[in-house]
Amino acid sequence: MKTIFTILLFVAFAFTAKAMVSNSVQVDNAGNLRREILNTFGDTKNIHTLIITGFLDARDFQFMRDSLPKLSELDIESVTINEYSGLNGTDPQISFYAANELPAFSFHNSYTGNSKVLLKVLKLPASITSIGYKALAGCTGFNDSIFIPSLVSSFSNDAFEGCSKLERFSVSPQNLYFTDIDGIIYSKDKKKLILCPLNKAANPLILPSGLEHITDYAFFNCTGIKGDLIFPNSLKTIGKWAFAYCSGLKKVIFPDSLTEIGESAFSECSGLKDGLVIPSLITEIKDFTFFGCINFKDSLILPNSLKKIGNGAFYNCQGLSGSLKLPNAVISIGAEAFYNCKSFTGTLYIPDNTKSIGARAFKNAKNITIVKLHQTTPPKIASETFDISCQIRVPSAAITIYKAA
């Protein structure tokens, strides 16, 4: 009986070992990975871990992405990525793939929408200099860190889009272009913040002194960032969509040094509370900057330097309250700029310098009861600009001109 049990145990072990192939393969000619895999293993369906050496191109990444369904650990550290021209790479709309670049859509199929979700461990080639568009998008299996090799000088922020469990980036100390601080990628001089991993946890988030620029999409959808957002006094610009959908943020205080806040930078940051003070060097609130920040609970203070308020800039910021005071320098107010900002109260004065007000700019701001315009020449006012319940008051000598406008 003991002998039979031993035999059965051995058979079970052998079966498991066969089912979970973990091996290495050498590819001498780029484009031949499929052939080498079949020659070595005779099967593509049960490869869980794989070490590749030699040469690959975009055709080989397409094969790994679409034909190795159980791949969970991949080591291509010693691989050289060759240039490829043709339509058999990772995306049929791309006909040229540069050498030493992790190809666009390497592990994300743009047509099916499928990604390499079982891939948990990836060692990137030491020789790559760039990481292509959406190369690792949707790879939700990464739950720890990605190591950025020493020669990487550029990458698309979309390269890691949807890597929802990724907690940190680690950059080679020898990299001349980037470094990491607390798992976030910065430029080597630490003046520019490049990208935060989606599953980064911080409460509060304190950004380092000396930081001057936060790039586009840097914290996009980083829902693990909670509490206060503390900027250094050195900060000058915040890129578009930089903190969009960071629903865990509770409070933001901008430094006086800030000169630009990008389009949609805080869009749908529904957790932001308290009031909002825009610093004095800002001249434009760009389109959708604070769109959908529904939980602001106090006043909005705009700087005297402000000249333009973009489309949807404060759309549905229904908790902003008190009197809305528009600076005299404001030239234009975009469509739906203050749509559904229903907690503003009292009288709204339109500045004399204002030349245009977009459609539905103050629609459903129902507690603004009076709108006053002092210009004898009316600004260009689009349809449904103000809530139907408010009174519009203009100079008596210009009533006819306003009615004709």
Side-chain angles (χ1 to χ4, degrees):
M1 185 68 181
K2 184 176 179 180
T3 302
I4 295 174
F5 176 78
T6 303
I7 293 172
L8 289 173
L9 185 63
F10 175 78
V11 170
F13 175 80
F15 178 81
T16 302
K18 182 178 180 180
M20 297 187 64
V21 176
S22 172
N23 256 313
S24 61
V25 62
Q26 167 74 24
V27 181
D28 294 324
N29 296 299
N32 286 337
L33 178 61
R34 178 190 296 271
R35 187 178 68 183
E36 297 298 338
I37 290 285
L38 291 173
N39 286 344
T40 303
F41 308 121
D43 177 38
T44 64
K45 305 300 183 184
N46 292 306
I47 298 175
H48 290 247
T49 63
L50 185 62
I51 301 170
I52 304 174
T53 55
F55 302 89
L56 301 178
D57 64 27
R59 294 170 293 179
D60 301 307
F61 284 91
Q62 185 272 337
F63 166 72
M64 284 189 284
R65 182 191 68 198
D66 298 338
S67 299
L68 300 179
K70 295 183 179 179
L71 189 63
S72 61
E73 297 184 19
L74 176 62
D75 181 348
I76 49 175
E77 186 175 14
S78 298
V79 156
T80 297
I81 299 177
N82 285 1
E83 175 185 306
Y84 171 67
S85 295
L87 299 176
N88 295 315
T90 50
D91 190 288
Q93 299 299 314
I94 301 175
S95 59
F96 176 76
Y97 300 83
N100 297 317
E101 177 177 83
L102 189 70
F105 304 107
S106 286
F107 298 100
H108 173 72
N109 189 314
S110 61
Y111 279 76
T112 66
N114 295 329
S115 299
K116 214 72 181 161
V117 296
L118 296 182
L119 189 61
K120 295 181 178 180
V121 178
L122 174 64
K123 292 184 178 181
L124 294 170
S127 58
I128 61 169
T129 58
S130 61
I131 301 173
Y133 179 70
K134 293 195 175 184
L136 298 164
C139 290
T140 57
F142 297 131
N143 57 12
D144 187 14
S145 67
I146 289 286
F147 180 76
I148 306 299
S150 62
L151 299 179
V152 172
S153 59
S154 66
F155 61 88
S156 164
N157 277 20
D158 294 315
F160 305 96
E161 178 185 290
C163 294
S164 58
K165 296 179 183 177
L166 186 62
E167 296 179 353
R168 62 185 298 109
F169 292 105
S170 178
V171 180
S172 168
Q174 285 72 47
N175 191 294
L176 298 178
Y177 305 94
F178 304 112
T179 188
D180 65 90
I181 303 174
D182 294 330
I184 298 173
I185 300 178
Y186 289 77
S187 60
K188 193 68 173 182
D189 61 7
K190 303 177 184 177
K191 291 182 178 181
K192 183 181 292 186
L193 189 154
I194 310 294
L195 187 61
C196 178
L198 281 181
N199 203 31
K200 167 74 175 177
N203 185 1
L205 176 63
I206 303 173
L207 298 178
S209 176
L211 177 67
E212 296 182 358
H213 308 285
I214 298 173
T215 63
D216 299 347
Y217 299 92
F219 290 88
F220 182 87
N221 201 30
C222 288
T223 55
I225 305 296
K226 301 181 185 298
D228 293 356
L229 174 56
I230 301 174
F231 295 115
N233 291 327
S234 55
L235 188 66
K236 296 178 180 179
T237 66
I238 298 173
K240 64 183 181 182
W241 297 92
F243 293 92
Y245 294 93
C246 290
S247 57
L249 287 177
K250 300 300 181 187
K251 186 176 182 179
V252 56
I253 299 176
F254 296 115
D256 292 338
S257 58
L258 193 65
T259 62
E260 181 178 347
I261 305 173
E263 175 185 327
S264 300
F266 293 87
S267 181
E268 300 288 357
C269 288
S270 57
L272 286 174
K273 299 182 178 181
D274 298 330
L276 182 63
V277 178
I278 306 298
S280 62
L281 297 179
I282 297 293
T283 60
E284 178 181 357
I285 307 294
K286 297 190 176 181
D287 294 349
F288 313 111
T289 300
F290 298 98
F291 180 100
C293 295
I294 61 174
N295 283 313
F296 281 129
K297 295 296 181 186
D298 207 336
S299 60
L300 170 64
I301 300 176
L302 301 172
N304 292 331
S305 58
L306 191 65
K307 295 181 179 180
K308 182 178 179 181
I309 301 172
N311 298 326
F314 297 95
Y315 183 102
N316 204 28
C317 291
Q318 53 189 276
L320 288 173
S321 60
S323 176
L324 174 58
K325 297 179 180 180
L326 299 176
N328 290 330
V330 171
I331 297 171
S332 65
I333 302 169
E336 300 183 336
F338 294 94
Y339 182 91
N340 205 38
C341 290
K342 56 189 179 183
S343 295
F344 286 128
T345 59
T347 299
L348 173 66
Y349 295 89
I350 302 299
D352 291 346
N353 289 316
T354 300
K355 305 300 182 185
S356 65
I357 306 175
R360 299 174 299 281
F362 297 93
K363 182 75 172 178
N364 209 34
K366 58 182 64 178
N367 288 308
I368 293 177
T369 54
I370 299 172
V371 176
K372 289 188 175 182
L373 299 98
H374 295 294
Q375 304 99 310
T376 53
T377 300
K380 182 179 180 181
I381 302 177
S383 62
E384 300 183 88
T385 298
F386 304 104
D387 194 75
I388 193 170
S389 63
C390 77
Q391 299 178 30
I392 309 297
R393 298 182 182 179
V394 302
S396 57
I399 290 176
T400 302
I401 298 173
Y402 271 86
K403 286 182 175 179

